Amino acid sequence: MENTSTPTRQVAAGELVTLLDFVRYAVSRFVEARLVFAHGTTDPVAEAAFLVCEALHLYPDQFSTFATARLTAGEAERVLQLIDLRVTTRKPAAYLVNKVYMRGLPFHVDDRVIVPRSFLGEILDCHFDDEDYALMETRSVRRVLDLCTGSGCLAILAARQFPDAVIDAVDISPGALEVAQRNVAVYGLKDRITLHQGDLFAPLSTADDARYDVIISNPPYVDAAGMAALPPECRAEPAIALDGGADGLDVVRRIITEASAHLAPGGGLLCEVGRGRARIEEAFPSLSLLWLDSEDSIGEVFWVTADDLSWFF
């Protein structure tokens, strides 16, 4: 692939002064280098502001407060270093600062895990105990399973959404579980979230008293064509967390097929599948799936009840 990165540049002292100056400079570099933004930010301005704030140990929502503040020489050097690394390495910004935000909460990430950007966080917030339509009552959820947990962010968000629930979180990657363990510890949830290493449901019990009220999953669902066309930013992530096989549904099919044996009566499966809706509906034409929208997605997450899965399988 043609290298579109621009070389590291020298900025003379005093040329850039305020936070806003550095953001503007970063945006220009990012646009010139034709970077791709798909890891928590969707445009060069948001990405630049994120990097500048992280370099200065500021929360993203503090940027406007300090936009006209001046940087020290050391701070300026750190910001410029991050900008150069983003351009020359094409690594996701989250890997450069080892942090990503979901639903306003910070999580540690590194190249052992995919950079979290799931719509499920919003779905968990908005579709349980909703006044107009609720998938389930929050207080009725006592056991939750997070499949393909990666950094553990969804398990942690689920623990916050379902205060009376215990959560099992599974991933096939030992490295990913090390990252998840760190995040679980930071949020003080070791007593509620148990991490399991294994392939989907394999490390879990099938006993009736070990069934789950809610199963959530953001599994690998990129098809072969999509994997071949991934930009450098996405190729920096673990392929195992993205690759869903020829049609993108290898893992999703298994989750749908096996979930019934692990769901409690009245429970349900919440699963993100990207742009795989048509393929899933073709593969399971008689299965009753409720497609949910988020602020930034339409029909990329489905909910299916335990009763419908039991009837289908």
Side-chain angles (χ1 to χ4, degrees):
M1 174 180 288
E2 179 183 356
N3 184 1
T4 58
S5 298
T6 55
T8 301
R9 296 179 179 178
Q10 297 297 318
V11 176
E15 286 188 313
L16 303 175
V17 178
T18 67
L19 271 69
L20 199 57
D21 290 339
F22 283 87
V23 168
R24 198 285 310 154
Y25 172 74
V27 170
S28 296
R29 293 287 309 278
F30 295 168
V31 171
E32 183 182 21
R34 301 180 183 177
L35 302 187
V36 172
F37 309 100
H39 299 91
T41 61
T42 57
D43 61 77
V45 176
E47 182 108 333
F50 169 73
L51 276 182
V52 170
C53 284
E54 286 304 310
L56 302 177
H57 307 292
L58 299 174
Y59 282 101
D61 60 4
Q62 293 179 303
F63 177 80
S64 59
T65 302
F66 297 102
T68 58
R70 301 167 63 94
L71 277 68
T72 68
E75 290 171 338
E77 182 179 1
R78 172 60 175 157
V79 171
L80 291 173
Q81 181 185 51
L82 283 174
I83 293 170
D84 282 334
L85 285 172
R86 181 67 180 91
V87 170
T88 57
T89 68
R90 296 293 296 269
K91 290 183 178 181
Y95 286 166
L96 300 180
V97 298
N98 297 123
K99 186 182 292 183
V100 70
Y101 290 87
M102 281 194 69
R103 308 304 293 168
L105 299 180
F107 296 96
H108 176 87
V109 293
D110 57 40
D111 59 9
R112 291 173 291 179
V113 296
I114 191 173
V115 178
R117 49 200 183 267
S118 173
F119 303 122
L120 289 176
E122 181 183 340
I123 299 295
L124 288 172
D125 277 350
C126 299
H127 285 281
F128 290 85
D129 286 340
D130 181 83
E131 292 183 1
D132 298 320
Y133 183 84
L135 300 176
M136 293 180 66
E137 293 184 1
T138 295
R139 290 289 179 178
S140 69
V141 177
R142 298 305 178 95
R143 300 192 77 236
V144 176
L145 170 62
D146 176 22
L147 292 175
C148 310
T149 193
S151 62
C153 58
L154 289 177
I156 291 166
L157 291 176
R160 293 168 66 89
Q161 177 64 30
F162 307 116
D164 298 324
V166 293
I167 294 97
D168 286 324
V170 180
D171 204 284
I172 199 170
S173 165
L177 289 175
E178 290 174 0
V179 176
Q181 185 177 38
R182 174 172 178 166
N183 285 319
V184 168
V186 165
Y187 282 96
L189 291 168
K190 287 183 176 181
D191 60 333
R192 293 183 56 205
I193 298 177
T194 303
L195 302 174
H196 305 266
Q197 195 272 321
D199 184 12
L200 296 182
F201 298 100
L204 304 171
S205 171
T206 57
D208 288 345
D209 61 356
R211 293 188 173 220
Y212 300 94
D213 301 303
V214 176
I215 298 175
I216 59 175
S217 185
N218 181 26
Y221 54 70
V222 181
D223 61 22
M227 290 296 295
L230 288 177
E233 284 86 350
C234 294
R235 291 204 301 272
E237 298 178 286
I240 195 173
L242 298 169
D243 191 352
D247 66 355
L249 300 185
D250 283 2
V251 180
V252 177
R253 280 193 191 88
R254 291 180 54 204
I255 291 173
I256 292 174
T257 303
E258 300 173 27
S260 178
H262 296 271
L263 278 169
L269 165 66
L270 191 63
C271 186
E272 183 169 332
V273 295
R275 299 174 183 174
R277 176 174 179 171
R279 293 192 294 270
I280 288 175
E281 290 179 331
E282 182 180 358
F284 302 97
S286 301
L287 184 59
S288 180
L289 301 174
L290 175 64
W291 293 94
L292 304 170
D293 300 336
S294 71
E295 184 176 345
D296 298 312
S297 71
I298 298 176
E300 296 190 38
V301 175
F302 70 79
W303 167 263
V304 59
T305 67
D307 290 343
D308 285 328
L309 283 170
S310 296
W311 176 85
F312 189 84
F313 294 104

